[in-house]
Amino acid sequence: MLTEAVILAQGNELTQGLTLDTNSHWLASRLVELGITVRRVMTAPDRLEDIVEILRRGAELAPIVVSTGGLGPTRDDLTAQAAALAFGGSLRLHEDALAQVQARFVAFGRVMAEVNRKQAVLPDGCRVLENLWGTAPGFSVDSGSSRLYFLPGVPREMKPMFDRHVLPDVLARHRISAPLHVTVRVTGVPESVLEEKMQGLERPGLEIGFRTKLPENHVKLRFEPGFPAAERLALVEEVRARIGWRAFGVDSGDLAEVVGQALAARGETLALAESCTAGSLSAWVGSVPGASRYLLEGAVVYSNEAKVRTCGVDPALLEEHGAVSEPVARQLARGIRARAGATWGIGITGIAGPGGGTEAKPVGTVHVALAGPETFEEHRALRIPGDRARVVSLSAAAALEMLWRRLSV
Amino acid sequence: MLTEAVILAQGNELTQGLTLDTNSHWLASRLVELGITVRRVMTAPDRLEDIVEILRRGAELAPIVVSTGGLGPTRDDLTAQAAALAFGGSLRLHEDALAQVQARFVAFGRVMAEVNRKQAVLPDGCRVLENLWGTAPGFSVDSGSSRLYFLPGVPREMKPMFDRHVLPDVLARHRISAPLHVTVRVTGVPESVLEEKMQGLERPGLEIGFRTKLPENHVKLRFEPGFPAAERLALVEEVRARIGWRAFGVDSGDLAEVVGQALAARGETLALAESCTAGSLSAWVGSVPGASRYLLEGAVVYSNEAKVRTCGVDPALLEEHGAVSEPVARQLARGIRARAGATWGIGITGIAGPGGGTEAKPVGTVHVALAGPETFEEHRALRIPGDRARVVSLSAAAALEMLWRRLSV
């Protein structure tokens, strides 16, 4: 049987077009993964009558209603009040919820303001959903055959709360056996090429999709419940084999995590010299927990002086070829590697724009180099279309990809 | 008087979370600029009964209804049919619409397929809205006092059609002159505190809102049309005065841009030594076009060796106080400043987590220091709740905030 759901979002920032509603998008894909049909997404401003109306309508439309936003401490956070009003209940202070809010503040080493008590004032008889990621508890209430789940609007609180509280409850209540999704993560292969490589893999019970999520591309496999596990694993391997080393991972873990795991496993280390990416690659590599074990040093060497001083780039080379050139990229990689005493050194120099482009070296011209054990050295010249942010992110990815190729063998 | 609108979006790709609904976000901001209040955003799958329902509901809720999607030639494009059904009309082939579709195909140098005739089959008595950017004509119909505008879902067709057909019609029908929005951008002041500071500023014709956009907070002022300009400017100044130097900007420009402008204007320069933020601050400062003029050098000094080698941190201090400590942060700032010969030096050292925390120094413990001309030196100890990404982003902001404080005087 078909299980249906409604997604609700609240907040003037949404109806005023200030904030893009990524929560509803995330929830929709999450629910669809479970084979649940989303009948409606409804967004209302911070206005009591409007919120009450979408809550009631949501409960009429579907047995599953997920609402985000409006649980904060300020005057315009009306969701709890609206929920009580919509389903004829009243509000009361929930001691257990208050204890949770207080615990959050203690954990954050902050003093709880009076206004935050409001976050524990919830509909009478609701189930409190603990928020381990922020101060606003969620809750759920029933109306007829429908159950409404209320989560905060902050994505990094909403998402784990959905997975921890809503997902298991929905699966249990509706006896859903979810299809299995596997995402093969790929670097440096366009969607169209991936689509060609997958020709002939189609079969009953398997759906193959493609997604671009810069700087990555994804091959998404959806297996119907009951699809033979052995065949499933074989198919995932087949997909990886057809793509090769550029298929760097399955499901979780971006390129920085995968490279980090490989470095840690080999007991190898990394040092970075960045010009046009200005520390973006270093920040990306450093975003992985435990990165300090292998990321020895990073240098942001915008000025020629810094390139010479920190990476020992030859001033004559800078003079002859310019800062954005193959020999300079190579010396940055080799120089920072030697300086830090790391196994691997990466050098990036380029023109991120919008200014600084020339006939010979237009915006998007980037040179990346990798230096490794003994005399190992490698260089790539890139020409990246797009704005400053895109040039920076794709140069960083291209450089990390060079290292991954060496670590993946 | 208050003019209200409803935004509708149709398509399984939206309710299945495959496509992020940027159309509704764009339309909302467009309408709000005109002082129009968006009462509801409703998204429905490609299912006739669902589309009919949101069309009727939209017409009940507001005098302006803008719908996107479902105008294509395929079977699952049901919008015209739904519009006829919803308001008791019938469908017929509109010759003028057909001529437009044919003209598009000629312009694109393509042969029109039979299925595309469907795009000219629209509700009887509707107004056809020409689409110069694609093959699907739009249309508008009235229901009671409400006018519903139907536009294609392709953003590059929808947006110009809205501006060409919908905007002028809405302005004329509702005699609208747009209100004025001013955003005061603030660093390091929580929303609740901002709300207190604004007490007593409320007055007719002014709406005050608050929004957190980490690492910033915003005070949003919305002035009704005809609000006296002099009083408006005075109020914006009053808001800034009440907040002080932490109100770093109005409308455009984040903290990195504002700091960058100040540095460039003063002809001053900056160097950064980052441990736990791993280059994030450097990447942020570097994200501003032209940053290479003032960002001389950045150093990511995870390892103690790098701290000593690059910033001349005293090994005895590291031994005695540990890498995450006030004296080390101060030496990082002073050291990188001296090394780069910059006007200002910033040092950041902390525990971003999830690992590495202790009783005395839990995850989120961060020390930031600023070193400046002569003997100027400043330090802040932070305790930041949240995950690794949040600790990194808020430490970087806190450090930049220290510099902004000095530049803003």
Side-chain angles (χ1 to χ4, degrees):
Chain A
M1 46 96 211
L2 190 67
T3 311
E4 298 187 325
V6 167
I7 296 170
L8 305 179
Q10 296 152 40
N12 291 338
E13 70 278 11
L14 299 176
T15 54
Q16 292 177 2
L18 299 170
T19 302
L20 183 60
D21 180 13
T22 55
N23 283 347
S24 298
H25 175 254
W26 185 86
L27 287 169
S29 58
R30 213 44 160 193
L31 290 165
V32 168
E33 278 177 8
L34 302 174
I36 294 170
T37 305
V38 175
R39 279 290 298 281
R40 199 82 79 249
V41 181
M42 292 189 280
T43 309
D46 297 314
R47 205 156 90 172
L48 202 52
E49 60 171 302
D50 287 325
I51 302 173
V52 168
E53 202 255 1
I54 61 171
L55 293 183
R56 289 195 176 133
R57 190 70 190 111
E60 286 164 20
L61 279 167
I64 303 166
V65 178
V66 184
S67 161
T68 63
L71 301 183
T74 59
R75 264 189 279 99
D76 56 9
D77 292 303
L78 302 168
T79 299
Q81 194 183 341
L85 216 56
F87 307 114
S90 60
L91 289 172
R92 69 171 174 83
L93 180 77
H94 287 244
E95 290 302 338
D96 51 343
L98 181 59
Q100 288 174 20
V101 178
Q102 287 162 332
R104 289 296 104 218
F105 276 93
V106 170
F108 296 162
R110 278 157 53 206
V111 183
M112 184 180 120
E114 254 317 292
V115 288
N116 293 92
R117 287 178 63 88
K118 175 172 175 299
Q119 296 181 297
V121 177
L122 303 173
D124 204 352
C126 74
R127 293 170 215 76
V128 177
L129 307 178
E130 185 168 18
N131 180 350
L132 297 168
W133 303 268
T135 63
F139 61 93
S140 76
V141 300
D142 293 348
S143 167
S145 62
S146 176
R147 177 164 295 178
L148 300 90
Y149 304 88
F150 296 86
L151 303 175
V154 183
R156 80 182 158 70
E157 300 176 19
M158 184 280 286
K159 292 176 183 179
M161 285 178 75
F162 178 86
D163 288 343
R164 183 192 179 87
H165 300 299
V166 182
L167 208 55
D169 194 49
V170 165
L171 291 175
R173 283 186 79 223
H174 299 276
R175 293 188 210 71
I176 292 170
S177 60
L180 202 91
H181 293 258
V182 178
T183 299
V184 177
R185 305 177 69 159
V186 185
T187 178
V189 186
E191 210 168 308
S192 52
V193 175
L194 287 175
E195 204 160 355
E196 278 171 30
K197 287 181 182 288
M198 295 309 125
Q199 293 299 336
L201 273 189
E202 308 80 2
R203 65 204 58 200
L206 167 63
E207 223 175 74
I208 305 179
F210 304 90
R211 283 282 268 294
T212 298
K213 210 173 163 206
L214 283 181
E216 295 182 25
N217 288 82
H218 294 170
V219 179
K220 300 182 89 58
L221 307 173
R222 182 178 181 281
F223 297 96
E224 287 306 327
F227 194 97
E231 193 186 341
R232 195 183 69 226
L233 298 174
L235 273 163
V236 173
E237 274 326 296
E238 171 67 15
V239 169
R240 299 191 71 170
R242 288 184 178 201
I243 300 167
W245 65 272
R246 290 173 178 279
F248 63 85
V250 171
D251 292 335
S252 66
D254 68 8
L255 193 55
E257 286 173 72
V258 171
V259 165
Q261 283 155 11
L263 287 172
R266 295 161 158 242
E268 298 182 343
T269 55
L270 176 63
L272 310 166
E274 305 181 64
S275 183
C276 64
T277 49
S280 295
L281 177 54
S282 180
W284 185 20
V285 172
S287 71
V288 179
S292 46
R293 278 174 300 157
Y294 48 82
L295 178 56
L296 295 189
E297 184 167 1
V300 178
V301 287
Y302 256 145
S303 67
N304 283 349
E305 296 66 33
K307 291 181 178 75
V308 172
R309 188 189 325 109
T310 304
C311 304
V313 172
D314 176 355
L317 271 185
L318 281 165
E319 189 55 45
E320 186 186 346
H321 301 276
V324 178
S325 61
E326 167 170 354
V328 169
R330 287 179 178 272
Q331 287 201 348
L332 287 174
R334 174 123 337 263
I336 196 66
R337 176 180 181 269
R339 172 185 172 78
T343 321
W344 302 96
I346 287 176
I348 307 178
T349 179
I351 299 153
T358 65
E359 269 296 311
K361 297 177 182 178
V363 167
T365 305
V366 180
H367 292 271
V368 293
L370 173 69
E374 283 128 36
T375 62
F376 176 86
E377 215 175 272
E378 195 173 28
H379 161 267
R380 268 179 76 187
L382 310 166
R383 184 68 68 84
I384 303 168
D387 61 14
R388 185 177 180 91
R390 190 165 188 273
V391 171
V392 167
S393 122
L394 291 185
S395 326
L400 206 53
E401 187 181 301
M402 286 173 80
L403 175 56
W404 168 242
R405 181 178 192 169
R406 297 306 150 191
L407 297 176
S408 63
V409 293
Chain B
M1 48 89 213
L2 190 67
T3 311
E4 298 186 326
V6 166
I7 297 170
L8 306 179
Q10 297 153 39
N12 290 337
E13 71 279 10
L14 300 176
T15 55
Q16 292 178 1
L18 299 173
T19 303
L20 183 59
D21 180 14
T22 55
N23 282 348
S24 298
H25 176 253
W26 185 87
L27 287 169
S29 57
R30 209 53 156 188
L31 290 165
V32 166
E33 280 171 9
L34 303 174
I36 295 169
T37 304
V38 175
R39 279 290 298 280
R40 198 82 80 249
V41 181
M42 292 188 281
T43 309
D46 297 313
R47 205 156 91 173
L48 201 54
E49 59 171 302
D50 286 326
I51 302 173
V52 167
E53 203 253 2
I54 61 172
L55 293 183
R56 289 196 177 132
R57 189 70 191 112
E60 286 165 21
L61 278 166
I64 303 166
V65 177
V66 184
S67 162
T68 63
L71 302 184
T74 60
R75 260 185 293 96
D76 57 8
D77 291 302
L78 302 168
T79 299
Q81 194 184 343
L85 216 57
F87 307 113
S90 60
L91 290 172
R92 69 170 174 85
L93 179 77
H94 288 244
E95 290 301 338
D96 52 342
L98 182 59
Q100 289 175 20
V101 178
Q102 288 163 330
R104 287 299 103 220
F105 275 93
V106 171
F108 297 157
R110 279 158 51 204
V111 181
M112 186 181 119
E114 252 319 291
V115 291
N116 292 93
R117 288 178 64 86
K118 175 174 177 295
Q119 296 182 296
V121 177
L122 303 173
D124 204 353
C126 73
R127 291 168 218 78
V128 177
L129 307 177
E130 185 169 18
N131 180 351
L132 297 169
W133 302 268
T135 62
F139 62 93
S140 75
V141 299
D142 293 350
S143 166
S145 62
S146 176
R147 178 164 293 178
L148 300 91
Y149 304 88
F150 297 86
L151 304 174
V154 183
R156 74 185 150 65
E157 301 177 21
M158 183 279 287
K159 292 176 183 179
M161 285 179 76
F162 178 86
D163 288 344
R164 182 193 179 88
H165 300 299
V166 183
L167 210 54
D169 194 51
V170 164
L171 292 174
R173 286 185 78 222
H174 299 278
R175 293 185 210 72
I176 290 169
S177 54
L180 205 95
H181 293 259
V182 179
T183 300
V184 177
R185 304 177 69 157
V186 185
T187 177
V189 187
E191 207 169 311
S192 51
V193 175
L194 287 174
E195 196 165 0
E196 278 171 30
K197 287 182 182 288
M198 295 308 126
Q199 294 297 337
L201 271 190
E202 307 81 1
R203 64 205 58 202
L206 168 62
E207 215 177 78
I208 305 179
F210 304 91
R211 177 152 159 262
T212 298
K213 206 179 164 198
L214 282 181
E216 296 181 24
N217 289 81
H218 295 171
V219 179
K220 306 192 78 67
L221 307 174
R222 181 179 179 282
F223 296 96
E224 288 303 327
F227 194 97
E231 194 186 340
R232 195 183 69 225
L233 298 173
L235 273 163
V236 173
E237 276 324 298
E238 171 67 15
V239 169
R240 300 192 72 170
R242 287 184 177 203
I243 299 167
W245 64 272
R246 289 174 179 279
F248 64 85
V250 172
D251 293 334
S252 66
D254 70 6
L255 193 55
E257 286 173 73
V258 171
V259 164
Q261 283 156 10
L263 287 172
R266 293 161 159 244
E268 297 181 345
T269 55
L270 175 63
L272 309 165
E274 305 181 64
S275 183
C276 64
T277 50
S280 296
L281 178 53
S282 180
W284 184 19
V285 172
S287 71
V288 179
S292 46
R293 279 174 300 158
Y294 47 82
L295 178 56
L296 294 190
E297 185 168 358
V300 179
V301 287
Y302 257 147
S303 67
N304 284 349
E305 297 65 34
K307 291 182 177 74
V308 172
R309 190 189 325 113
T310 305
C311 303
V313 172
D314 175 357
L317 271 185
L318 282 165
E319 188 56 45
E320 185 186 346
H321 300 277
V324 177
S325 62
E326 167 168 355
V328 168
R330 288 179 177 271
Q331 287 201 347
L332 287 174
R334 175 129 328 271
I336 196 68
R337 175 180 182 270
R339 173 185 171 77
T343 320
W344 302 96
I346 286 176
I348 307 178
T349 178
I351 299 153
T358 65
E359 267 298 308
K361 296 176 182 178
V363 168
T365 305
V366 180
H367 292 271
V368 293
L370 174 69
E374 282 129 33
T375 62
F376 176 85
E377 215 175 272
E378 195 174 25
H379 161 267
R380 266 179 79 187
L382 310 166
R383 177 90 172 270
I384 302 169
D387 60 16
R388 186 177 180 91
R390 190 162 187 273
V391 171
V392 167
S393 124
L394 291 185
S395 328
L400 206 54
E401 186 181 302
M402 286 173 80
L403 175 56
W404 168 242
R405 181 177 193 171
R406 298 305 148 193
L407 298 176
S408 63
V409 294

